[in-house]
Amino acid sequence: MDFQEALKQDFGEAVSFDPQILHSYAHDMGEMPKALTLMIKGRPQAVVVARSAKDVSTLLRAARSLNLPLTPRGQASSGYGGSLPYRGGIILDLSSFNRILKIDTDKGQVDVEPGVVWEDLAHRLIPHNLENRICPTSAPSSTVGGWFAVGGTGIGSLQYGDLLENVLEIDVAVPDGTIRTCSGPDMLPFYQTNGTLGIVTRLRLACRKAQSLRTIACAFLNAACAVHFLDTAAELAPYSATLQSAGYCAMLAKAERRDPAIQEGFLLSLTLPETGFNPAAAAILAEAADGTMLDAALGEAEWERRYYPMRIKKAGPSLLVGECVIPFDSFAQFLIETQKALPSDHFGVEAYAVKGRKLAVLVYIFDNAADFLYPLRMAKALIPLYTAIKHGGRPYATGMWFAAAAKYVYGEEKLGLVREIKKKTDPQNLLNPGKLEGPSLPFLPFLNLSRCILAAGKILAPVAARLSYTKHLRPQTEGEKL
Amino acid sequence: MNAHMLEHGGAALPGIAADALDTCARCGFCKTGCPTYPFGGGFETYSPRAKVFFLKEYYEGRATLSPEWVDRLYRCTTCERCQTVCQTEIPLIHLWEKIRSEIVEQGLGPMPAHKKIRDFAAQFGNPYGESADKQAQWLLPEHKPVDEADILIFGGCTASYKMPSMLQSGVTVLTRLDIPYAYAGGAETCCASPLLRTGQIAAAENCISCNLDLFAQKKARYIVTPCGGCSKTLKYDYPAFARKLGKTFDATVMHFSEVYAQLIREGRLKPSIFTPKKVTFHDPCHLGRSQGLFAEPREILAAIPGVKLVEMPRNREESRCCGAGGGVKANYPQMAAAIAADRLREAEETGAEMLVTMCPFCQGSFAQAIQESGSGMQLSGLDALLLASLPEQA
C-alpha cells in the first residue's frame, strides 16, 4: 500500500493529493523571493484536514510509519515559514479543528480546540461576561493553537504578558501519537516551537471578566518621552498600549488617503478599563513626559482599527517587516540606530507594550516583491533584529526562516531542553522538520538555509540599505526625531 | 492580457490585478469570514485568500482556469464579507465578478443552473421561466397603481413571482398613505442581478437595456423595490451600463426600507398597534454591506411599539450570508441550504421568537431552512411586521 492509499484509508475525504489543493498550502503570509522558496520543497505531497484529537494522533502515527514529514498549520497568518513544509510530506490543516469545548464562567476559563479563531472566541465569550485576556492583532483570522505554536504578545499584553502566561493547561499529541496533558512549566517546550515537539489538541485559557475599555491617544516628541509616559502610566492600570511612529502614521495616512494623525514623534494609544477611567490624570502624566493629549475620538478610532496594522500594505504593494522584542530602556537607542542603518528609506514603527517593560516592535518598509532587487533589499528586514539583539532584545519568533536564531528567541536553556526532547521523541525528525535548526539546502545538505539567511542578511544589509524602493514617501531626515 | 474585458462599475481587470492583487496581505481575514469556505472540506483552496492567490498566478500566466477552479470561483455568494474585512481593501467582489465574466467569455462557464437562468431571462424576461402575464398577479385589490408617478415600483422577479409578501406590504403602505405610484407589471424585465453576479454580461446587458427603456418611458424620479439584489444592481450597475449603452438613467433607486425610514422620520408613518414580539434581524448582504442599509431596518423596528430587537452576535457589517446570492442557491442548493440553516441556528440562539429580514431572497432561504429543520422560529418580512403595526387608516 503506498502512502496515498494508506492516508485515504485513514482519512477518506479529509485527505487530498490534488496538485491544485496542495499548491494552496505552499505559502504563508510572507512574500519570500522565488530564489529562496526554490531552495525548499515547499509543496506538500498530501493535505489532511483534522477535526479531532483522534485525527491528529492517527496522522502522527501514520507519518511515522510512512516516514513522511508532517507540518502542522493553523491559518498560516504569520510570515516566518513555521507552517511551511521544507521537504514535502503531509500538511496537517488544523483550522477546522475548532470547537469551543467548555466555558467555565465561575473560574473564568475556556477550553478550546487549536483551530479556534481568536475573534470568534471573543464573540462566544460575550454571553458569559468574559473576554480574551490577550489576543494577536490578527485576531479575526489567527488561531489559538497557531499563536501558541509561534509564541506571542499582542493586545492586552501590557497587563497580561505573553500567551504562555495565560494558558493554564494543554493537551498535546506527541510524535508517537499519544496525548499528554501538561500545565505550568511542562508546557514551556511546546510553546513557541512551531509544533516541532507535538501538536496541541486542547488549550485551557484564562479569561478576564468583561469590562468596557476606553482608549486615549497622546502625542510625544520622541520615543524616550513615550516610554517614560508608559512607565508613569502604570499607576492607571492600563490594559494595552500601542506606539506608532510618525513614519508609520504617514504610511497609514497614505493607505487610507487622509492626513496623518501626527507629523513627528510618536502616537501612543493607551487602553484603560472604563471603571476608574481618568483622562485628566492621564493628561497630567502625559504633560509631565512632554506629551500632549489628542482628541478623544482619535484614541477610540485607534482601538477600532487595532486588528488592521497591515492596512498600510495597500500603499505598498509589498512590505519588508522586521519584528523584534526589546526592553523599554533600549527602545530609543534602538530607533536611533535603526534610522541610521536605513538612510534611504521611509519606514514606520509600531510597537505593543508588554508586561515587564518590554515592547514588541514591528519596523515596516514599503517594497515591491515583483521587483528584481527585492531579494537583496529583503536584507533590510534583518536590521531591526540585529539591532534588537545588540540592545538586549531578541527576534519576535523563529519559524523556518529564522530558526537559526532560536537561541535568542527561546534562550539557551530552553533550546537545550527542546533539542533533547526532540532527539528522544522524534529521532526521525518528521514533525515539522527544519523549524528548530533551520532547513538544510537540498543539494548542499551541510549548509543550513536559515543560517545562510541570517549571515547573508548581516553582510548584505548595509548594501541593501542603500537601495530604496520607497517611491511613495521621502526618507526620514535627522530632524524628524523618532 | 485581458484588455478586452468589459469595464463596468470600476477599473478594468488588469489594473486591479496589478494593483490590488499584489497588495493582498494573505492575513486570512477573508477566509474566516467566508460562508462558503467551510463547505470545501476545510481545504484552504476554497477560501477567498486562496482564490486571490490563484488569480494572481492566473493573471501572471502561471495558472490556468481548470474546471475545478471554475467550480471554486462559482462557490461564492458575493456576500461581500471578504471585502469588508480585507486589510488592504481589495475590491474582491469586483474581482470575483470579473473572473466569472472572463470564464463565460472563454466558454468555460457559467455553471449549468446559471445557463438556465440566462435562457429563461432571454425567453421570458425573468430567471424563473414564468410568463410575463403572471408578473402583476401579486397586486391586491386595494392596490391602485397609476400610469405615471414620481415613484415607480420595481417588483423584481423573486418578489413578483415567488415571495410576494414584502412587495405587497410595501405597496399597501404607500396606498394607505395615498402616495401615488406607478407599476409596469408585465413589462418589467429581470434587473439582471443573477446574470451579472454569475458573469453573464451580454445577457445582463439585454435585460438592463429593456429596463432602461422602460424607466425612461415611465419618467420615474424614484424607483422603489423590495429586493436587495434588485436595489443593489439598479443603484450601482445601471448607471455604468446606461453610460455604456448611451441611455439615460437619472432616477433615484430606493429599497422599501429607505422609504419607510424616511416616512417615519417625517412623521407620516406612525406604527401604533402594539406588537409584542422578541425579534432578531438578519441583515441581507446586498442591502447591508452593499448599500450600507444597517440603520434603517433598526429604526423601523424601534418605531414599532412592543417589538424588542435582540441582535445576533454577527450583525450589521459582520452579518452572515443566508447562502442564496451569487448564483449559489441555483447551482449549489445543498450548500446554500446548509448556510441558511447555520444562520437560522444563530437566530435561534438569541432566544428571539421571530426572525425578521427585508429581502425576498433571504426570506425564501430561511423559509426553507425553517421547514427543513422543523424550527419553531417565526419568519417575517420587515414590511409585514411594520404593516401589522399600522392602523387600517394610516
Side-chain angles (χ1 to χ4, degrees), chain B residues 237-288:
Chain B
D237 294 288
Y238 272 49
F241 274 97
R243 282 195 298 276
K244 180 172 183 282
L245 295 167
K247 298 190 179 193
T248 307
F249 182 67
D250 51 13
T252 300
V253 178
M254 295 179 87
H255 181 260
F256 261 114
S257 61
E258 294 174 271
V259 176
Y260 303 141
Q262 189 176 325
L263 291 170
I264 289 169
R265 281 175 218 142
E266 290 170 357
R268 297 172 69 189
L269 201 56
K270 293 175 183 164
S272 58
I273 298 174
F274 191 69
T275 313
K277 288 278 178 200
K278 189 175 174 186
V279 307
T280 190
F281 181 74
H282 167 77
D283 290 277
C285 306
H286 289 171
L287 286 166

Side-chain angles (χ1 to χ4, degrees), chain B residues 10-25:
Chain B
L13 194 53
I16 288 175
D19 299 338
L21 289 178
D22 283 347
T23 66
C24 175

Side-chain angles (χ1 to χ4, degrees), chain B residues 146-214:
Chain B
V146 295
D147 281 343
E148 270 189 30
D150 279 355
I151 293 176
L152 173 67
I153 301 297
F154 187 86
C157 303
T158 304
S160 301
Y161 296 110
K162 301 290 180 189
M163 302 288 294
S165 67
M166 290 186 186
L167 182 52
Q168 288 169 328
S169 304
V171 172
T172 300
V173 169
L174 296 181
T175 307
R176 286 194 194 175
L177 292 174
D178 289 328
I179 297 172
Y181 53 88
Y183 174 57
E188 227 181 61
T189 306
C190 171
C191 73
S193 174
L195 299 167
L196 288 172
R197 309 301 153 231
T198 54
Q200 305 184 86
I201 307 299
E205 201 170 291
N206 291 336
C207 293
I208 292 169
S209 180
C210 292
N211 281 330
L212 287 170
D213 291 342
L214 177 70

Side-chain angles (χ1 to χ4, degrees), chain A residues 73 92 106 127 138 147 192 212-213 240 267 315 346 353-354 376 429:
Chain A
R73 174 181 164 118
L92 173 59
D106 295 334
S138 54
W147 208 31
Q192 283 178 316
S212 295
L213 297 169
S240 197
L267 172 68
H346 179 104
V354 180
L376 174 57
N429 190 22

Side-chain angles (χ1 to χ4, degrees), chain B residues 1 4 17 23 29 61 118 143 158-159 180 189 227 230 236 247 261 279 289 305 332 341 349 370 375 386 389:
Chain B
M1 91 191 131
H4 60 285
T23 66
F29 288 12
R118 179 190 63 201
H143 295 158
T158 304
T189 306
C227 179
C230 293
Y236 303 122
K247 298 190 179 193
V279 307
R289 281 186 286 270
Y332 306 98
E349 282 168 13
I370 287 169
S375 166
L386 174 67
S389 73

